[in-house]
Amino acid sequence: MTENLNIEPLNEELPSNYADRLGIYYTQLVTPKQKKDNGQFFTPIPITRLMASYCSVSKKVIKILDPGCGTAVLSCALVEHLVQTKKNLEIIDLVAYETAPDLILFSQKTLTYLKKWLQDRDIRFQYIIHIHDFVLENAHVLKSENPQDLFGTKNSGELFDIIISNPPYFKLARDDKKTMAASELVSGQPNIYSFFLGIAAKLLLDKGELLFITPRSFASGNYFRAFRELFFKTVQLNKIHLFNSRKDTFNRDSVLQETLVIKATRENIDPNTKVLISSSEGLKDINEPTVKDFNFSNLVDLNSKEKILHLPINDEEENILNLVSTWQNVLGDYNIHISTGPVVAFRAWGFIQNTFENSNVLLAPLFWLHNVSKMILEWPKQQKEKGQFIRIEQGSKSLLIPNKNYILLRRFSTKDDKSRLIAAPYFCNYVSSDFIGVENKLNYIYRKKGHLERNEVVGLCTLLNSKLFDTYFQIFNGNVNVSATELREMRFPLLDDIKIIGNKIILSNDYSMSNVNNIVGEFLEFETIEN
């Protein structure tokens, strides 16, 4: 496909611009499916320059790693930044990885031109392109606590001053050889980008810097818990840039993904280190970002089990995070639990039906995601292949839960939903049945021993549906999933305050979102929340 690659650098063209032109050409040669299957989404020039600008390494000899180089646009942008800002620079060593055969020639052409460009500036440039798999070649470093332990082992001495990358993004099977090699980073469904991040953190020299652009999904959720545990004890977070638009970041590849740029340094972890968080809508305003800074301890609780990363980007979100930090309790402290609906539809078709029968068959209501709206449970609500009843018989007993008071909460929102948290109250007198069914795309909140009081149900529902709580949730959640793990880690006001909020809604008999936000804002003295 690339045997006759005749695209040459223009006169005085920056190497990054040349690499970008090659990337555009390559993108025209392959199908969208090929790019998606290989996780190939080339970094736009404005982002490469933002990432490069975060680098503060200043040495005469600098060793760089680009573990998924593509056309090497990131390496070029980084080198250009170093040349422009580091006057004592003499030697640059680059180690790059690229496994896609069709891309190797592009990488070589870019780096050959970069070498000539540096020669003209009296800087020696040495590079090597590995065609081996980065994860399989380097996963052994995950087993080491100290980078110096690597000496005398495979790839002895391969530690770096700067590691820059836009890694591939795709899920891996649990039995994939890369998953097994990087098992220290696996706590659920793995995504390859977290392997690149985790391994890169271990390949940094002392004071070495890591510069990555990735999805923000690693910030929370059980699937990335093991990764966060290793990452946040290996490197110190310094800077994060968030893109508010899903569409604009990789717009020429038609990627819908919440992404961020991250800078971290290999050094002792200090909870009081200031972390700069900036944000832009997309690429057009990337050089005019909103900027805030926080103590690292305000963004990640290193004493917690989950080590969730909170990412507030404006004054309102900062104020919400400050308010939540004054709350000391999670739902478990009130003997309130969260579980995922046990009815997996494709496994339970034999028990599910859409019509009610007489006393010959015992039926329980079955609640699906589409039955749950904010503060409202709509059942029965007919929808194709989503039967509203489930049989109560010996084979289905393990799928049913006792009929008592619950909060039903959607586990997924659509990418167009403004809210991630969508919850409805359920009361045991809703139907005459000893059991109910809850489909797997819903979470349910309950008191394991005893029952939730009516004002507790309404109070919790009111909080979860409020703009305040939805904003709080989106500060750390970067995807459309609402996991039970994240809900268990969320902080809540005192239980008596939850009951008071519930009573206010019940007495008003107004379950509208306007009233919900007014009552929550007034009671918690948080008046900046818009309805």
Side-chain angles (χ1 to χ4, degrees):
M1 179 176 70
T2 58
E3 290 178 359
N4 298 311
L5 182 56
N6 296 319
I7 300 174
E8 299 300 328
L10 304 175
N11 187 37
E12 298 297 319
E13 184 173 25
L14 286 171
S16 60
N17 288 340
Y18 178 52
D20 187 55
R21 285 200 298 120
L22 290 176
I24 292 171
Y25 178 72
Y26 175 82
T27 297
Q28 295 168 347
L29 299 179
V30 296
T31 66
K33 185 178 185 304
Q34 283 176 281
K35 288 188 293 180
K36 183 177 180 180
D37 289 346
N38 293 305
Q40 292 173 340
F41 305 114
F42 297 138
T43 318
I45 285 291
I47 296 178
T48 68
R49 292 185 176 145
L50 175 73
M51 294 171 67
S53 73
Y54 284 176
C55 177
S56 57
V57 172
S58 184
K59 299 168 71 174
K60 289 184 178 180
V61 179
I62 293 179
K63 192 162 188 178
I64 300 170
L65 170 66
D66 187 340
C69 72
T71 63
V73 65
L74 276 171
S75 290
C76 289
L78 175 61
V79 168
E80 289 162 10
H81 169 77
L82 292 171
V83 170
Q84 183 179 8
T85 60
K86 316 300 177 189
K87 302 306 181 186
N88 62 341
L89 188 58
E90 296 178 359
I91 300 173
I92 297 174
D93 284 342
L94 172 67
V95 174
Y97 282 78
E98 182 51 63
T99 57
D102 292 337
L103 265 173
I104 301 297
L105 182 57
F106 290 83
S107 308
Q108 290 174 332
K109 286 186 75 71
T110 298
L111 295 177
T112 298
Y113 177 57
L114 179 61
K115 183 169 186 174
K116 178 182 181 303
W117 187 83
L118 286 167
Q119 283 175 342
D120 293 342
R121 287 153 180 81
D122 296 323
I123 297 170
R124 195 171 78 188
F125 180 60
Q126 303 165 156
Y127 73 88
I128 183 170
I129 302 175
H130 290 299
I131 59 173
H132 312 296
D133 186 283
F134 171 73
V135 172
L136 296 179
E137 284 288 299
N138 295 282
H140 65 281
V141 302
L142 297 170
K143 307 182 189 308
S144 169
E145 288 294 324
N146 189 321
Q148 301 307 315
D149 293 343
L150 297 174
F151 291 96
T153 65
K154 185 181 178 184
N155 287 347
S156 174
E158 285 290 311
L159 299 176
F160 299 88
D161 297 297
I162 310 165
I163 303 177
I164 190 165
S165 183
N166 174 7
Y169 321 149
F170 54 83
K171 293 177 181 178
L172 292 168
R174 292 298 297 269
D175 60 353
D176 187 283
K177 56 186 178 181
K178 287 185 277 289
T179 302
M180 292 185 282
S183 60
E184 291 82 1
L185 298 172
V186 177
S187 54
Q189 172 69 65
N191 192 306
I192 194 169
Y193 82 83
S194 66
F195 293 178
F196 273 68
L197 259 176
I199 293 169
K202 287 284 193 175
L203 286 172
L204 287 171
L205 287 161
D206 185 44
K207 304 299 183 184
E209 296 180 353
L210 177 150
L211 306 166
F212 267 65
I213 179 168
T214 74
R216 61 171 287 181
S217 51
F218 73 85
S220 63
N222 186 58
Y223 290 171
F224 295 95
R225 179 174 52 79
F227 163 76
R228 291 193 300 273
E229 178 71 34
L230 180 142
F231 190 72
F232 289 132
K233 72 178 182 183
T234 304
V235 291
Q236 174 69 63
L237 198 60
N238 303 122
K239 293 182 180 182
I240 286 181
H241 183 89
L242 294 151
F243 299 95
N244 300 331
S245 170
R246 288 175 176 268
K247 299 178 180 180
D248 192 36
T249 314
F250 293 98
N251 54 358
R252 70 187 182 205
D253 286 316
S254 301
V255 178
L256 286 175
Q257 180 70 259
E258 289 194 33
T259 53
L260 56 76
V261 172
I262 184 170
K263 176 192 174 179
T265 304
R266 188 71 186 263
E267 59 187 348
N268 292 331
I269 311 304
D270 181 358
N272 296 317
T273 293
K274 289 293 184 183
V275 179
L276 185 146
I277 297 182
S278 59
S279 65
S280 62
E281 192 62 26
L283 300 183
K284 293 178 181 178
D285 60 339
I286 195 171
N287 295 319
E288 300 174 346
T290 300
V291 182
K292 302 189 73 66
D293 61 62
F294 301 86
N295 284 346
F296 179 55
S297 59
N298 292 336
L299 303 178
V300 180
D301 180 0
L302 292 176
N303 296 318
S304 68
K305 178 183 177 182
E306 296 297 328
K307 295 179 177 56
I308 289 171
L309 173 61
H310 298 80
L311 297 169
I313 61 172
N314 54 43
D315 290 344
E316 181 182 71
E317 293 183 3
E318 181 180 9
N319 291 337
I320 289 174
L321 201 57
N322 289 338
L323 171 65
V324 170
S325 69
T326 66
W327 301 338
Q328 301 301 313
N329 299 104
V330 295
L331 290 181
D333 297 326
Y334 306 139
N335 191 29
I336 296 175
H337 300 266
I338 304 107
S339 294
T340 299
V343 179
V344 179
F346 75 90
R347 295 175 183 157
W349 284 129
F351 305 115
I352 297 172
Q353 60 186 68
N354 206 35
T355 56
F356 185 75
E357 297 185 24
N358 58 25
S359 58
N360 293 330
V361 178
L362 286 176
L363 294 174
L366 176 57
F367 301 108
W368 302 71
L369 183 143
H370 76 276
N371 296 118
V372 173
S373 300
K374 282 183 172 286
M375 300 299 291
I376 299 171
L377 183 64
E378 299 178 90
W379 181 91
K381 184 179 181 181
Q382 304 298 334
Q383 198 171 102
K384 187 178 180 181
E385 295 185 354
K386 288 180 170 53
Q388 298 290 278
F389 300 91
I390 184 167
R391 292 172 177 259
I392 304 173
E393 54 189 65
Q394 193 60 39
S396 65
K397 283 288 182 70
S398 64
L399 306 178
L400 305 176
I401 60 176
N403 184 13
K404 57 183 184 179
N405 293 348
Y406 296 100
I407 295 149
L408 302 180
L409 178 71
R410 291 188 183 188
R411 286 184 59 210
F412 302 94
S413 59
T414 69
K415 291 183 178 181
D416 296 324
D417 280 337
K418 292 182 179 179
S419 295
R420 300 281 171 81
L421 299 179
I422 301 173
Y426 172 82
F427 300 106
C428 59
N429 60 356
Y430 197 87
V431 294
S432 297
S433 175
D434 291 335
F435 301 95
I436 66 170
V438 179
E439 200 268 336
N440 193 247
K441 290 184 177 60
L442 291 174
N443 290 310
Y444 62 99
I445 299 173
Y446 60 103
R447 182 164 280 130
K448 187 177 289 186
K449 296 181 180 179
H451 67 279
L452 289 172
E453 298 175 18
R454 189 176 187 87
N455 56 5
E456 291 176 324
V457 170
V458 176
L460 284 171
C461 247
T462 300
L463 286 170
L464 290 169
N465 284 307
S466 69
K467 186 175 185 295
L468 188 154
F469 256 70
D470 196 73
T471 302
Y472 165 37
F473 184 77
Q474 293 195 51
I475 288 172
F476 61 81
N477 178 278
N479 54 61
V480 296
N481 299 346
V482 180
S483 76
T485 299
E486 292 163 339
L487 294 169
R488 293 186 192 106
E489 291 290 312
M490 289 178 72
R491 295 185 185 182
F492 283 81
L494 294 171
L495 187 58
D496 285 344
D497 291 342
I498 293 172
K499 292 180 179 181
I500 291 171
I501 291 171
N503 286 331
K504 285 179 176 288
I505 291 288
I506 292 169
L507 289 172
S508 73
N509 197 30
D510 181 356
Y511 292 77
S512 68
M513 285 305 98
S514 176
N515 193 44
V516 161
N517 287 323
N518 283 336
I519 285 177
V520 170
E522 288 173 5
F523 185 80
L524 297 177
E525 298 181 352
F526 204 94
E527 299 178 1
T528 62
I529 294 292
E530 299 176 359
N531 292 338

